[in-house]
């Protein structure tokens, strides 16, 4: 990409966006690719890049992001190993760490395989090598230490070294504890010099201890002597150490040869993983910007809804609606300084470049952008001291280059077109530039202060006015973009509001041409009409929304009433059925008794039999009456006479009702409970006071809500250092619950090495946790014994 193109990208601040993208990556290779990312100019390529980012965004939303933190550049060690070179332990460990990272990425994709994406081919290209990974980790403990079990020969040599060292130390221990030698020793200790065991002897007593002198202290008061009794044992240790080094070199050569065998596949897998890291970084940046997927075309049509400049604070940025290339190809934006004109240009250009790089853009749904071969911008102060160019000259130089490159596949953005020179000549030159660019079929957005360009946009088909709104009452811009309305000059209004003498303002008005005054008056009338229409539209929208909510509320209440009515009907049917069955049974019993009495001919019923029959009839009557009256409060007296509209309790039915009518006898009243109207005795009513009514309404309107934390990207790591065991266990439970809900399969719990108390408490808890499948201590590169890795179910 040439220097001129880089100039336009820098003017639109794409480099700042790419720097933010690089910060989202986990690997150095992906960060470097992010910084070097450049826009594509083919529609299919742009759609492919955006689809990749959108699929990564969907996967992140459901499963969290895969971890690329251990993805390092190991191409040089692998190439050296493939050429027959021997790698050191640190290089082999880094290769194993990268292999573990690649395997974790593929495992993550296997767990999320329920969603098909365009990224699947990239995931499938990653080749894992668990055999080489485990072999390196089993042979090498750290960058300086080879494991004893790396080979049987190494284990045997180290066993012999320990035995020979023990024999030498035993002889020296006997010497340092001997009364004969103690007076000659500086300290009763055994130490090492050049890998050989020695004792510290006073300089004046060196002849008392026969042996080889290996070193002396800085003051010369102490010499370190290897007694003759341990020379042979030390020689044996030295020979064994040389054998140990040879065996370690052999193991390193063997591991390096195996790593070199897989060099090409591992390097290719690392490159593919770095590309995936970049794609997921794009998705992560889109998540932070609350961005979405735009619709792309190659027809030069831009239609942005609630577009936000991504580099402005999200709490301060004002969303704008802007379109270009649909019913007009040129947009002339006017308005006061610091009103948002330049931000509008940068928003159009930057969002276009972001989409062409495969980045999601901060706009609302159904927004569309076009793919351009060139996005050409003349924005900002272009004054060049080195080239002795004024601001006007520098702008013209840049615009001339833009006109040489612009074609039907170009988006041209011009800030303060024609400024910096004589207003008449500047306005004429600006008009001519726009006409020429339109003849070259470019899509153009330009800002200006010239009234001539406002008139040009009004008179010319395919050219539209736009303005950045300004509130004269507060002397503050609203930063809203209004398309179809030219910006009005507010110089007189602002000056008057700031305290300028009225006579000066009025005299200034007389100096403005009548034509210009008429134009400003027309613009002012358009602005007033627009504001009135917007107010009406907002009022209509608000009323429509209120009506919609009221309709929904009424519909819900109707459905609830229907459900309750159905429940009451079902309950009533059930009770009626039970009532009929019970009454029928009692009637059958009574009939049977009557039949028995009929058979007793010429016998009169006794008083006891008559009482029994009467009691049975009363029981049937009571059972057959489904209305159970509530016991009245005999001690209750109305605090005052009832009036129409009072709210009362019907004590028999335990229902609230409203009084509709009062009879003349003041003993009965017509009341309405819900949809039911009934007449009842006033003595059956209890007045509901305002306080009781308010308390009842509060009781009925009381709702219980539970608020859950907003979704966030799932954390796969918990740091417990500095916590007590009880605090740590509580935090582990919360962390594991959140990880399980986020579908994480592996988490890292950091407890530190320390005394081991926290580690033991955590692992004892994990042993019985319902969400934990297995756990282990970390290996090299994961934190070793300072962390615990838990696999979740």
């Amino acid at each position: 990409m040439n220097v001129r193109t880089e100039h336009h990208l820098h003017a639109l601040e794409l480099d700042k966006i790419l720097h933010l993208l690089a910060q989202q990556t986990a690997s150095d290779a992906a960060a470097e690719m992010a910084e070097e990312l450049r826009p594509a100019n083919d529609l299919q390529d742009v759609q492919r890049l955006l689809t990749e980012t959108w699929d990564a965004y969907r996967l992140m939303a459901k499963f969290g992001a895969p971890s690329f933190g251990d993805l390092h550049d190991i191409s040089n060690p692998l190439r050296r190993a493939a050429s027959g070179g021997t790698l050191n332990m640190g290089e082999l460990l880094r290769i194993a760490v990268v292999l573990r990272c690649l395997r974790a990425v593929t495992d993550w994709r296997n767990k999320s395989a329920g969603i098909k994406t365009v990224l699947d081919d990239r995931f499938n290209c990653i080749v894992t090598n668990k055999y080489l990974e485990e072999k390196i980790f089993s042979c090498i403990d750290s960058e300086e230490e080879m494991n004893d079990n790396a080979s049987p020969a190494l284990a045997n040599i180290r066993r012999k070294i320990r035995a020979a060292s023990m024999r030498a130390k035993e002889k020296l221990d006997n010497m340092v504890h001997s009364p004969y030698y103690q007076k000659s020793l500086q300290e009763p200790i055994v130490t090492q010099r050049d890998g050989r065991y020695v004792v510290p002897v006073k300089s004046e007593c060196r002849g008392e201890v026969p042996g080889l002198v290996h070193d002396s202290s800085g003051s010369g008061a102490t010499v370190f002597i290897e007694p003759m009794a341990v020379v042979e044992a030390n020689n044996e240790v030295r020979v064994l150490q040389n054998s140990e080094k040879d065996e370690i070199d052999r193991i390193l050569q063997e591991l390096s040869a195996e790593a070199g065998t897989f060099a090409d596949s591992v390097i290719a897998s690392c490159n593919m993983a770095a590309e995936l890291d970049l794609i997921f970084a794009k998705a992560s940046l889109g998540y932070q910007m609350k961005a979405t997927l735009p619709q792309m075309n190659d027809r030069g049509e831009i239609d942005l809804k609630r577009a936000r400049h991504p580099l402005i604070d999200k709490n301060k940025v004002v969303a704008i609606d802007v379109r270009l290339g649909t019913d007009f190809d040129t947009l002339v934006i006017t308005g006061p300084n610091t009103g948002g004109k330049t931000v509008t240009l940068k928003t159009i250009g930057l969002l276009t470049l972001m989409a062409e790089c495969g980045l999601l853009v901060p706009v609302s749904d159904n927004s569309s952008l076009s793919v351009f071969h060139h996005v050409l911008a003349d924005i900002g102060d272009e004054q060049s001291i080195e080239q002795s160019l004024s601001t006007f000259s520098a702008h013209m130089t840049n615009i001339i280059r833009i006109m040489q490159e612009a074609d039907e596949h170009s988006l041209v953005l011009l800030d303060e077109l024609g400024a910096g020179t004589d207003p008449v000549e500047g306005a004429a030159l600006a008009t001519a530039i726009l006409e020429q660019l339109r003849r070259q079929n470019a899509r153009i957005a330009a800002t200006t202060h010239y009234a001539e360009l406002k008139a040009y946009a009004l008179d010319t088909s395919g050219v539209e006015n736009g303005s950045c709104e300004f509130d004269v009452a507060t002397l503050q811009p609203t930063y809203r973009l209004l398309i179809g309305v030219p910006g009005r000059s507010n110089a007189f209004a602002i000056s008057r509001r700031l305290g300028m003498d009225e006579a000066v303002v009025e005299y200034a008005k007389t100096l403005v041409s009548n034509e210009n005054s008429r134009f400003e008056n027309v613009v002012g009338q358009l602005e007033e009409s627009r504001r009135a229409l917007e107010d009406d539209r907002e009022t209509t929208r608000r009323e429509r929304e209120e009506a919609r909510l009221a309709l929904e509320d009424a519909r819900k209440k109707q459905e609830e009433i229907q459900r309750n009515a159905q429940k009451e009907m079902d309950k009533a049917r059930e009770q009626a059925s039970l009532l009929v069955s019970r009454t029928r049974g009692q009637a059958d019993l009574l009939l049977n008794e009557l039949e028995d009495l009929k058979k007793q001919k010429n016998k009169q019923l006794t008083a006891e039999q008559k009482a029994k029959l009467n009691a049975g009839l009363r029981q049937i009557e009571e059972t057959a009456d489904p209305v159970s009256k509530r016991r009245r409060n005999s001690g209750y007296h109305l605090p005052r006479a009832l009036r129409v509209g009072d709210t009362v309790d019907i004590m028999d039915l335990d229902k609230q009702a409203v009084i509709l009518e009062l009879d003349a006898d003041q003993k009965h009243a017509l009341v309405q409970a819900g949809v039911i109207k009934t007449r009842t005795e006033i003595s059956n009513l209890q007045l509901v006071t305002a306080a009781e009514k308010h308390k009842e309404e509060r009781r009925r309107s009381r709702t219980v809500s539970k608020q859950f934390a907003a979704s966030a990207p799932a954390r796969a790591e918990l740091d417990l250092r500095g916590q007590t065991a009880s605090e740590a266990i509580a935090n582990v439970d919360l962390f594991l619950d959140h990880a399980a809900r986020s579908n994480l399969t592996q988490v890292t719990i950091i407890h530190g090495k320390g005394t081991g108390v926290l580690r033991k408490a955590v692992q004892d808890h994990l042993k019985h946790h319902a969400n934990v499948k297995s756990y282990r201590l970390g290996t090299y590169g994961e934190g070793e014994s300072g962390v615990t890795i838990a696999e979740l179910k």
Side-chain angles (χ1 to χ4, degrees), residues 69-294:
D70 289 330
L71 189 63
H72 306 296
D73 183 9
I74 55 173
S75 56
N76 287 338
L78 284 173
R79 293 299 185 199
R80 190 151 40 86
S83 301
T86 301
L87 306 182
N88 59 40
M89 286 186 276
E91 291 171 327
L92 287 168
L93 278 176
R94 280 191 290 277
I95 291 173
V97 167
V98 170
L99 291 174
R100 182 176 61 196
C101 175
L102 295 177
R103 184 164 57 85
V105 170
T106 55
D107 288 346
W108 177 89
R109 184 60 186 119
N110 292 334
K111 296 291 176 60
S112 61
I115 299 179
K116 300 298 181 184
T117 70
V118 297
L119 301 176
D120 292 345
D121 290 341
R122 295 181 183 271
F123 279 105
N124 293 334
C125 288
I126 297 178
V127 179
T128 60
N129 195 330
K130 190 175 181 180
Y131 160 75
L132 180 59
E133 171 196 342
E134 292 182 343
K135 186 169 184 179
I136 293 175
F137 278 133
S138 64
C139 291
I140 304 175
D141 287 339
S142 67
E143 294 185 6
E144 294 84 20
E145 185 66 26
M146 182 73 71
N147 192 290
D148 288 356
N149 298 319
S151 73
L154 182 62
N156 185 48
I157 292 170
R158 287 184 171 175
R159 186 167 54 252
K160 291 179 179 179
I161 289 175
R162 286 191 291 271
S165 298
M166 187 62 67
R167 288 194 298 272
K169 289 180 69 176
E170 286 178 355
K171 291 180 181 180
L172 291 176
D173 282 340
N174 292 334
M175 178 180 291
V176 298
H177 292 98
S178 168
Y180 178 78
Y181 288 108
Q182 281 186 353
K183 63 180 181 298
S184 303
L185 299 179
Q186 194 72 259
E187 291 181 84
I189 61 172
V190 177
T191 184
Q192 279 188 325
R193 286 295 184 274
D194 297 328
R196 302 179 74 87
Y197 290 105
V198 296
V199 291
V201 180
K202 298 176 181 177
S203 296
E204 62 271 17
C205 301
R206 59 186 301 175
E208 301 295 327
V209 181
L212 304 175
V213 177
H214 284 274
D215 196 4
S216 63
S217 65
S219 63
T222 305
V223 291
F224 296 92
I225 296 177
E226 178 186 5
M228 296 303 298
V230 297
V231 169
E232 187 61 32
N234 276 336
N235 287 340
E236 183 181 358
V237 171
R238 179 59 63 88
V239 171
L240 289 171
Q241 286 175 342
N242 290 335
S243 299
E244 177 191 30
K245 183 178 182 303
D246 293 340
E247 179 61 16
I248 290 175
D249 290 342
R250 187 196 66 78
I251 295 171
L252 291 177
Q253 176 59 41
E254 180 182 323
L255 291 175
S256 298
E258 289 204 55
T261 304
F262 302 106
D264 291 337
S265 64
V266 175
I267 292 173
S269 297
C270 288
N271 292 336
M272 194 59 65
E275 292 181 13
L276 284 170
D277 185 12
L278 176 61
I279 293 171
F280 277 92
K282 292 180 181 179
S284 178
L285 184 62
Y287 179 84
Q288 288 188 2
M289 292 181 176
K290 295 182 171 32
T292 188
L293 181 69

Side-chain angles (χ1 to χ4, degrees), residues 17 37 42 153 169 175 254 295 412 426 513 542 638:
I17 296 295
L37 198 61
D42 180 76
K169 289 180 69 176
M175 178 180 291
E254 180 182 323
Q295 301 172 3
V412 179
S513 65
R542 187 167 55 252
L638 288 170

Side-chain angles (χ1 to χ4, degrees), residues 436-539:
Q436 178 59 36
L437 290 172
R438 293 190 68 219
R439 281 193 291 270
Q440 295 173 216
N441 296 318
R443 298 294 185 268
I444 311 158
T447 68
T448 184
H449 284 287
Y450 293 138
E452 290 84 351
L453 287 183
K454 302 177 192 178
Y456 165 74
L458 286 173
D459 296 336
T460 308
S461 175
V463 182
E464 187 62 87
N465 268 304
S467 62
C468 291
E469 190 179 48
F470 189 87
D471 191 343
V472 180
T474 62
L475 298 181
Q476 294 293 328
T478 66
Y479 301 105
R480 292 178 57 206
L481 179 67
L482 309 173
I483 292 183
V485 180
R488 185 184 180 189
S489 174
N490 296 294
F492 295 152
I494 293 173
S495 299
R496 182 183 291 111
R497 185 67 186 274
L498 292 176
M500 178 75 70
D501 189 283
E502 186 67 25
V504 175
V505 176
E506 290 300 324
Y507 179 66
K509 285 184 176 182
T510 63
L511 300 178
V512 178
S513 65
N514 291 333
E515 183 179 349
N516 195 20
S517 297
R518 286 196 301 272
F519 181 79
E520 288 294 327
N521 290 336
V522 170
V523 171
Q525 292 171 4
L526 286 174
E527 178 69 10
E528 291 176 4
S529 299
R530 181 195 63 78
R531 286 181 181 273
L533 288 174
E534 282 200 352
D535 291 342
D536 291 344
R537 184 172 62 181
E538 178 62 23
T539 301

Side-chain angles (χ1 to χ4, degrees), residues 1 14 37-49 296 352-358 370-375:
M1 189 166 287
L14 179 65
L37 198 61
R38 291 299 177 267
N41 54 24
D42 180 76
L43 179 60
Q44 290 185 346
D45 290 340
V46 172
Q47 289 176 330
R48 173 181 56 80
L49 293 172
M296 300 302 298
T352 298
L353 294 175
M354 287 174 61
E356 291 178 345
C357 290
S370 178
V371 176
F372 295 98
H373 291 180
H374 306 288
V375 178

Side-chain angles (χ1 to χ4, degrees), residues 402-418:
I402 289 174
M403 295 174 69
Q404 292 170 350
E405 295 183 46
D407 56 20
E408 67 274 14
H409 302 296
S410 299
L411 172 63
V412 179
L413 306 170
L414 304 174
D415 190 28
E416 298 296 349
L417 181 59

